[in-house]
Amino acid sequence: MSAVIKTTEELVIPILTKKNLELVDIEYVKEGPNLFLRVYIDKPGGIDITECGEVSELLSEELDRVDPIKDAYFLEVSSPGVERPLKTKQDFANNIGKNVLIKLYSPIDGEKEFEGILKDFNNEIAVVSYKVKTRTKEIEIPFDKIAKARLAVAF
């Protein structure tokens, strides 16, 4: 974890705890000539723009005080959106029954990507029901083989 992300996490957690909000993710990325520090927050039922603005103001003050980023950057505080990343075991447990997209470090049954319904998660294994043409299959995916996962909008 980069020092900027670690410092930002240490600064934002107390702010979010006071507001009963959850930290979903932090990104520190360069896009073109610009640097962006993105903080994704949420709560049950979703988050609104007012809450994002309040967290942004408070976090901005803390970042100015600590000054972990010497270059100019843009701070963005927002909802993770409908395709929210699933990073922790708790994220998986909280999203059983929802459509997910899971990408793996190494293939299982010749595939490195599965999209389907998260049927179960028992702390180490995600069970996903997915379709292959007209057949429905189930796959057990060990948590430590998951490179990236997110909720996926089903059409």
Side-chain angles (χ1 to χ4, degrees):
M1 183 184 291
S2 84
V4 169
I5 291 174
K6 185 173 179 1
T7 300
T8 303
E9 182 176 357
E10 290 168 356
L11 295 173
V12 77
I13 291 290
I15 295 168
L16 297 178
T17 300
K18 286 180 189 171
K19 295 185 165 294
N20 293 317
L21 301 173
E22 168 195 2
L23 176 62
V24 175
D25 199 8
I26 299 173
E27 297 176 338
Y28 181 54
V29 295
K30 184 172 177 126
E31 293 178 2
N34 300 313
L35 289 169
F36 291 88
L37 178 59
R38 295 188 176 115
V39 179
Y40 299 97
I41 59 176
D42 207 359
K43 70 177 182 189
I47 193 141
D48 64 38
I49 195 162
T50 302
E51 291 166 311
C52 290
E54 291 170 357
V55 170
S56 180
E57 283 184 35
L58 293 168
L59 178 56
S60 182
E61 290 172 10
E62 287 300 299
L63 288 165
D64 287 346
R65 182 181 62 78
V66 174
D67 200 23
I69 305 171
K70 302 306 177 203
D71 299 314
Y73 66 96
F74 294 96
L75 173 64
E76 296 177 356
V77 176
S78 68
S79 160
V82 293
E83 293 192 336
R84 168 195 174 126
L86 305 177
K87 293 195 162 248
T88 67
K89 293 176 182 180
Q90 190 62 50
D91 288 341
F92 279 84
N94 290 345
N95 286 286
I96 291 171
K98 295 185 180 170
N99 202 55
V100 297
L101 174 67
I102 298 176
K103 296 182 179 186
L104 308 177
Y105 290 114
S106 57
I108 297 177
D109 295 340
E111 300 291 329
K112 286 183 73 176
E113 188 173 297
F114 295 91
E115 182 174 343
I117 302 298
L118 181 61
K119 293 299 220 179
D120 191 22
F121 185 77
N122 70 4
N123 207 31
E124 293 301 326
I125 304 288
V127 179
V128 177
S129 173
Y130 66 102
K131 288 200 174 212
V132 177
K133 296 184 182 177
T134 59
R135 294 184 344 172
T136 299
K137 291 184 161 190
E138 272 193 7
I139 185 90
E140 291 187 354
I141 304 171
F143 185 76
D144 62 359
K145 286 193 177 256
I146 297 172
K148 282 183 133 182
R150 65 172 171 77
L151 295 180
V153 176
F155 293 99

